[in-house]
């Protein structure tokens, strides 16, 4: 796997494009700021939402049981999947049971996490991602670069080009309205012929056993309404206790995500259609393990709004693909090291710890503190990102010893004075590739202070 | 009131003028200031790089050096944040608790402890204020732009408003990170530099002659880029602006 820094360096080669990417996401952040400024009780809502989620997580087993019980009473079929493989097998078994060869899918980062598409295609099942952004990247055979705006890394010219190739739109057409219309027609046909629809889940309500999907395009609903069999894949952390709790989250979610007061559709699915089947798959895939880590438990509060990505100055300048994870950006960097420390252990270092993610997060996850904590674990595990341990412990003792420390500092400064402009010679190459080193002054503060206090005496 | 002055290592060596300004300002404001000469480092650079365990020695040394003071003042929100928040891994003895509670950034010390409401400082320049993240979002020296329901004021704004002749420029992005981030600046040099360039452009395009901040590390990073690209803008620590007066 290529290091994040290297991917970011490649992304930054085209500076104009980096600026465009940064500005597009900053615009979303500004829309969010505006929407949020209309809500005087915003900070209270964040606190409230965080409390509800922490409470739910603290009794997750109980709430999962009540959810299952209520869902079964509603006529749904509930499945439990310990990991991605089990999840995918369950989906396949449902498809096989109905001899389905075509499935429409909408709004599911969880199926991305499980790599469901590849798995089903391998079993000769056609999967059609039905939301526009998801469809675009599916056509390109790329993963999403953002959890809410999966194709945000693409310019409309590139989408025009793709649609010309795939959907035979006019060459050079870039009008979003025209392109969206073309995609609609293309998808309409798919909707009519699919036998099964799968959606993600934004919230599962323990009290009623229903699931809630928040969308703007309505494709999740269209899929569910047009096909006899519906599947809802849901991470176990998506639960909230009561339906009345939902209001807190719907107020936070869309405002944080896109700056809308609410998503266009907030759909509650509770019962199967007459003669239809409704499946709910509850997926763990590493979540209980994260729940068992007190320092990182609260990362499971995440409602996947994407605000931490939009605000992250690194994400905006490196793009979602640079993280090589399903969930990129700050939240991905605290979720994924728990899944595979070796592979994702570098991500907690792809941050300045500026804390903007923590302040923007609608459920108050202390993301930057968790990044810091993951760094400690990465280095404890002896991974290269954490630096050479022996070296670090020597440095550590040096920093605790005044005489060593002062000699080191003075030598450094004097070398810089002796060789001004020859910083490369001093192996500061990374710093000095695009930055100069500070000009070394004649005397340090300490030297000044000692003189000063002696003179004064 | 006995004040122990903590000067971050790189400031001691490379930016003594900012440290001198801090010292002189505190003395002029009537504090009994001492700079314990045995001081080393707060341990932040190692800890942020993931080596908290190796920093323990310097944490303990910090506590020993400073426990006898009423207040420990540093012209660096970042180091102060580290002492206040990350010394929680030490055993919480009376000394550790005291040092953690009494270590303050210069700006909060001036406003919250000394409670100054005016300064005779003069600085007739157009200035851009860089809000260093650890001070802003870590120590809450101001309200970050993410917390939109509160006024966007900060302690640094309040202090700069006391300075005669100083005009603050309006930035497009009031508190975006400069990209320094300690270990980040060398682990991810390309984004680090890009972030710095973007910050400088924001200040420069609004007519700032000078960028100021409460943290010299951000300014060191920005200055490195400014110098390499020959941009006609300077950096200066806020203490140097506040200290522009004699008594
Ligand atoms: S961590 Fe917070 S800000 Fe980021 S996606 Fe999750 S809920 Fe949104």
């Amino acid at each position: 796997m290529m290091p994040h820094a290297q991917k970011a360096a490649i992304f930054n080669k085209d500076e104009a494009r980096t600026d465009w990417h940064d500005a597009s996401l900053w615009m979303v952040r500004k829309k969010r700021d505006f929407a949020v400024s209309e809500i005087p009780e915003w900070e209270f809502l964040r606190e409230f939402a965080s409390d509800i989620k922490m409470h739910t997580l603290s009794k997750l087993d109980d709430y999962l049981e009540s959810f299952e019980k209520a869902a079964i009473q509603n006529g749904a079929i509930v499945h439990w999947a310990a990991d991605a493989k089990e999840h995918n097998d369950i989906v396949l078994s449902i498809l096989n049971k109905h001899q389905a060869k075509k499935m429409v899918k909408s709004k599911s980062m969880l199926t991305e996490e499980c790599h469901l598409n590849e798995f089903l295609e391998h079993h000769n099942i056609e999967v059609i991602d039905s939301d526009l952004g998801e469809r675009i990247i599916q056509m390109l055979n790329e993963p999403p670069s953002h959890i809410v705006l999966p194709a945000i890394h693409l310019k409309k010219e590139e989408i025009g080009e793709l649609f010309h190739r795939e959907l035979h739109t006019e060459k050079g057409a870039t009008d979003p309205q025209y392109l969206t219309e073309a995609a609609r027609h293309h998808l309409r046909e798919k909707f009519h012929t699919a036998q099964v629809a799968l959606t993600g889940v934004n919230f599962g309500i323990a009290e009623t056993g229903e699931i809630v999907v928040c969308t703007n395009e309505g494709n999740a609903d269209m899929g569910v309404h047009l096909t006899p069999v519906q599947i809802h894949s849901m991470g176990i952390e998506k639960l909230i206790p009561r339906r009345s709790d939902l209001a807190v989250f719907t107020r936070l979610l869309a405002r944080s995500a896109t700056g809308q007061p609410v998503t266009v559709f907030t759909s509650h699915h509770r019962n199967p259609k007459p003669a239809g089947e409704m499946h709910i798959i509850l997926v763990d895939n590493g979540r209980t393990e994260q729940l068992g880590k007190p320092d990182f438990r609260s990362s499971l509060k995440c409602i996947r709004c994407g605000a931490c990505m939009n605000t992250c100055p690194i994400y905006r300048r490196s793009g979602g693909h640079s993280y090589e994870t399903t969930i990129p950006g700050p939240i991905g960097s605290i979720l994924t090291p728990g899944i595979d420390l070796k592979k994702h252990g570098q991500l907690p270092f792809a941050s300045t710890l500026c804390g903007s993610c923590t302040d923007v997060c609608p459920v108050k996850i202390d993301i930057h503190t968790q990044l810091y904590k993951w760094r400690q674990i990465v280095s404890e595990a002896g991974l290269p990102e954490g630096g050479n341990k022996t070296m670090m412990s020597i440095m550590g003792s040096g920093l605790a010893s005044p005489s060593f420390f002062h000699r080191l500092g003075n030598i450094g400064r004097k070398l810089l004075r002796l060789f001004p402009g020859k910083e490369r010679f001093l192996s500061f190459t990374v710093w000095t590739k695009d930055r100069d080193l500070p000009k070394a002054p004649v005397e340090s503060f300490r030297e000044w202070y000692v003189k000063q206090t002696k003179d004064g005496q | 009131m006995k004040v122990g002055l903590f000067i971050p290592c790189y400031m001691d060596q490379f930016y003594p003028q900012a440290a001198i300004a801090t010292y002189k300002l505190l003395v002029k404001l009537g504090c009994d200031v001492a700079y314990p000469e045995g001081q080393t480092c707060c341990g932040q650079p190692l800890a942020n790089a993931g080596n908290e365990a190796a920093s323990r020695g310097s944490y303990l040394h910090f506590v020993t050096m400073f426990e006898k003071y009423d207040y420990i003042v540093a012209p660096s929100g970042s180091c102060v944040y580290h002492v206040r928040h990350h010394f929680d891994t030490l055993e919480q003895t009376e000394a550790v608790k005291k040092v953690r509670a009494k270590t303050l950034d210069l700006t909060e010390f001036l406003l919250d402890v000394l409670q100054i409401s005016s300064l005779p400082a003069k600085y007739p320049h157009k200035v851009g204020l860089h809000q260093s993240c650890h001070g802003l979002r870590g120590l809450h020296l101001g309200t970050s732009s993410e917390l939109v329901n509160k006024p966007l004021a900060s302690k640094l704004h309040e202090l700069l408003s006391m300075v005669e002749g100083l005009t603050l420029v309006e930035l497009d992005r009031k508190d975006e990170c400069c990209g320094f981030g300690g270990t980040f600046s060398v682990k991810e040099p390309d984004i680090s530099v890009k972030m710095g360039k973007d910050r400088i452009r924001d200040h420069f395009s609004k007519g700032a002659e000078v960028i100021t901040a409460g943290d010299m590390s951000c300014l060191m990073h920005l200055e490195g880029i400014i110098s390499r690209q020959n941009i006609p803008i300077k950096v200066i620590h806020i203490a140097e602006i506040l200290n522009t007066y004699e008594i």
Side-chain angles (χ1 to χ4, degrees):
Chain A
M1 199 168 115
M2 197 189 279
H4 179 268
Q6 207 174 329
K7 289 218 148 192
I10 296 168
F11 192 86
N12 271 272
K13 283 219 166 88
D14 184 349
E15 191 169 358
R17 193 178 177 106
T18 307
D19 287 339
W20 164 80
H21 189 263
D22 167 70
S24 315
L25 288 153
W26 184 253
M27 175 111 84
V28 185
R29 157 76 210 267
K30 284 217 306 213
K31 283 190 190 160
R32 171 261 175 209
D33 289 353
F34 180 75
V36 165
S37 70
E38 307 271 279
I39 308 290
E41 67 275 29
W42 184 256
E43 291 306 320
F44 167 76
L45 280 177
R46 286 177 77 215
E47 194 69 52
F48 198 5
S50 169
D51 288 349
I52 295 172
K53 279 281 181 183
M54 279 322 273
H55 164 79
T56 317
L57 290 170
S58 73
K59 302 171 133 219
L60 193 59
D61 45 348
D62 292 344
Y63 282 120
L64 280 166
E65 273 177 25
S66 1
F67 177 80
E68 182 188 32
K69 210 167 132 210
I72 291 173
Q73 259 168 17
N74 297 336
I77 302 164
V78 179
H79 311 258
W80 297 84
D83 54 22
K85 187 184 172 303
E86 279 190 26
H87 167 265
N88 294 350
D89 287 341
I90 292 167
V91 175
L92 182 65
S93 71
I94 300 169
L95 287 160
N96 284 343
K97 180 178 153 200
H98 295 275
Q99 288 155 3
K101 286 281 162 213
K102 212 185 246 188
M103 181 176 91
V104 282
K105 181 156 90 59
S106 173
K107 284 283 161 221
S108 173
M109 289 308 294
L110 178 58
T111 55
E112 285 289 336
E113 179 186 319
C114 296
H115 302 292
L116 178 69
N117 285 20
E118 291 95 303
F119 172 82
L120 290 181
E121 275 152 24
H122 186 72
H123 286 88
N124 296 320
I125 304 231
E126 188 190 354
V127 186
I128 303 106
D129 276 313
S130 60
D131 288 306
L132 184 57
E134 288 168 7
R135 187 72 191 136
I136 291 168
I137 55 161
Q138 195 190 17
M139 282 179 186
L140 281 171
N141 206 9
E142 282 184 3
S145 72
H146 187 288
I147 59 173
V148 175
L149 312 158
I152 190 74
H153 60 292
L154 296 170
K155 295 195 173 190
K156 59 181 193 289
E157 292 75 19
E158 290 158 339
I159 295 165
E161 188 65 26
L162 171 75
F163 278 19
H164 172 63
R165 221 165 47 228
E166 300 280 332
L167 307 179
H168 313 296
T169 51
E170 274 170 48
K171 190 163 175 55
T174 58
D175 177 34
Q177 181 75 35
Y178 168 75
L179 295 175
T180 310
E181 201 52 44
R184 270 173 79 99
H185 284 293
H186 156 75
L187 282 169
R188 206 38 70 88
E189 184 263 329
K190 304 279 182 194
F191 274 121
H192 281 294
T193 50
Q195 295 130 299
V196 176
L198 185 148
T199 79
V201 172
N202 289 93
F203 304 98
I205 300 174
E207 170 191 54
T208 60
E210 75 204 63
I211 62 103
V212 180
V213 189
C214 305
T215 73
N216 280 330
E217 296 170 37
N219 293 329
D221 302 330
M222 174 121 65
V224 168
H225 294 319
L226 289 176
T227 55
V229 181
Q230 67 197 82
I231 306 175
H232 305 285
S233 292
M234 165 179 166
I236 53 171
E237 84 286 16
K238 295 282 172 200
L239 279 189
I240 52 174
R242 299 162 306 183
R243 196 190 259 169
S244 58
D245 300 321
L246 184 67
V248 178
F249 293 95
T250 47
R251 296 189 77 195
L252 290 164
L253 178 62
R255 285 187 173 88
S256 297
T258 55
Q260 295 165 270
V262 72
T263 44
V264 177
F265 301 91
T266 302
S267 310
H268 297 238
H269 298 282
R270 184 150 72 156
N271 314 95
K273 291 174 289 283
E277 258 177 37
M278 176 175 176
H279 296 266
I280 301 173
I281 312 178
L282 292 160
V283 186
D284 183 335
N285 206 30
R287 286 160 177 78
T288 36
E289 213 184 307
Q290 189 88 338
L291 192 64
K293 299 184 179 115
D295 283 345
F296 304 109
R297 177 173 299 156
S298 70
S299 61
L300 293 172
K301 290 189 288 185
C302 176
I303 56 170
R304 303 284 192 269
C305 72
C308 57
M309 287 153 219
N310 307 336
T311 205
C312 177
I314 288 107
Y315 175 92
R316 278 189 263 113
R317 290 174 183 83
S318 66
H321 290 157
S322 65
Y323 294 82
E324 297 199 31
T325 52
T326 305
I327 312 274
I331 179 66
S333 302
I334 59 172
L335 287 174
T336 53
I339 296 164
D340 187 342
L341 191 67
K342 232 173 144 181
K343 188 165 167 212
H344 304 300
Q346 55 158 335
L347 295 180
F349 295 89
S351 162
T352 57
L353 306 180
C354 77
S356 181
C357 45
T358 299
D359 277 0
V360 92
C361 177
V363 288
K364 294 189 96 162
I365 302 174
D366 56 344
I367 304 177
H368 73 293
T369 310
Q370 296 188 32
L371 288 168
Y372 175 86
K373 289 191 167 151
W374 273 119
R375 289 184 184 187
Q376 311 308 325
I377 291 174
V378 168
S379 112
E380 272 299 305
L383 296 177
E385 289 79 12
N388 180 308
K389 261 174 129 180
T390 323
M391 184 66 193
M392 289 295 173
S393 90
I394 295 172
M395 288 262 293
S397 337
L399 292 183
S401 143
S403 59
F404 171 88
F405 181 77
H406 301 151
R407 255 180 283 135
L408 188 73
N410 284 330
I411 292 168
R413 177 166 48 87
K414 280 172 189 148
L415 277 175
L416 281 186
R417 281 184 61 75
L418 283 172
F419 303 100
K422 295 217 173 52
E423 300 92 348
R424 278 181 186 82
F425 174 74
L426 294 168
S427 78
F428 286 111
T429 45
V430 181
W431 177 273
T432 55
K433 188 173 150 276
D434 298 303
R435 278 171 294 214
D436 288 339
L437 282 168
K439 307 221 169 14
V442 185
E443 72 183 353
S444 68
F445 172 73
R446 177 185 309 273
E447 288 164 348
W448 174 87
Y449 177 82
V450 170
K451 260 201 263 164
Q452 159 90 10
T453 37
K454 270 204 197 113
D455 291 352
Q457 275 161 8
Chain B
M1 187 186 339
K2 285 184 68 161
V3 174
L5 182 62
F6 175 71
I7 298 296
C9 32
Y10 67 93
M11 276 180 89
D12 172 44
Q13 294 294 333
F14 298 121
Y15 295 98
Q17 70 280 16
I20 293 170
T22 307
Y23 174 79
K24 287 188 168 170
L25 181 64
L26 290 172
V27 171
K28 278 188 273 191
L29 291 169
C31 301
D32 175 11
V33 193
Y35 170 80
E37 287 172 44
Q39 65 179 270
T40 58
C41 171
C42 68
Q44 180 184 202
L46 274 184
N48 276 3
N51 295 277
E52 205 168 43
S55 320
R56 263 186 80 85
S58 56
Y59 291 5
L60 291 169
H61 183 71
F62 188 98
V63 174
T64 315
M65 278 287 118
F66 286 102
E67 62 176 311
K68 66 169 187 267
Y69 295 97
D70 298 319
Y71 288 97
I72 301 118
V73 176
S76 163
S78 189
C79 301
V80 171
Y81 175 76
H82 195 71
V83 172
R84 288 233 288 264
H85 291 262
H86 293 309
F87 280 24
D88 62 345
T89 49
L90 294 176
E91 189 196 332
Q92 297 301 297
T93 59
E94 285 310 310
V96 171
K97 279 197 264 181
K98 179 184 169 196
V99 165
R100 284 181 68 195
K102 297 290 183 184
T103 300
L104 300 183
D105 173 64
L106 173 67
T107 59
E108 51 184 352
F109 181 73
L110 295 177
L111 289 172
D112 300 346
V113 179
L114 298 183
Q115 305 199 340
I116 62 167
S117 53
S118 66
L119 268 180
K122 271 195 196 127
Y123 196 72
H125 295 286
K126 285 184 94 176
V127 174
L129 172 59
H130 173 68
Q131 295 277 13
S132 298
C133 302
H134 286 171
L136 181 70
R137 299 193 185 82
L139 295 177
H140 305 293
L141 299 179
T143 308
S144 70
S145 58
E146 295 85 21
L147 308 173
V148 277
N149 282 319
K150 298 183 187 152
L152 282 176
S154 75
K155 297 207 188 302
L156 289 90
H157 279 106
E158 204 175 325
L159 287 165
L160 291 175
S161 73
M162 297 175 191
V163 179
E164 197 185 317
L166 184 147
T167 328
L168 267 189
V169 300
E170 267 293 308
L171 300 170
D172 285 339
R173 300 190 189 179
K174 294 177 176 53
D175 52 15
E176 176 139 298
C177 176
C178 69
F180 173 65
T183 174
F184 180 83
S185 65
V186 287
K187 277 206 154 110
E188 296 258 9
D190 295 86
I191 305 192
S192 173
V193 168
K194 175 65 181 144
M195 284 166 70
K197 273 167 72 178
D198 290 353
R199 280 296 69 235
I200 296 162
R201 197 195 317 134
D202 196 0
H203 287 265
F204 186 66
S205 68
K206 307 300 176 305
E209 302 159 57
V210 170
I211 304 176
T212 192
D215 249 303
M216 206 64 224
S217 53
C218 308
L219 295 176
M220 173 172 76
H221 162 70
L222 295 176
E223 188 182 45
I225 300 167
I226 289 169
S227 155
R228 179 62 58 91
Q229 303 199 344
N230 283 314
I231 305 166
I233 194 167
K234 287 195 186 62
V235 301
I236 187 170
H237 192 277
I238 191 167
E240 293 173 78
I241 297 181
L242 301 178
N243 186 45
T244 49
Y245 71 98
E246 300 297 335
I247 39 171

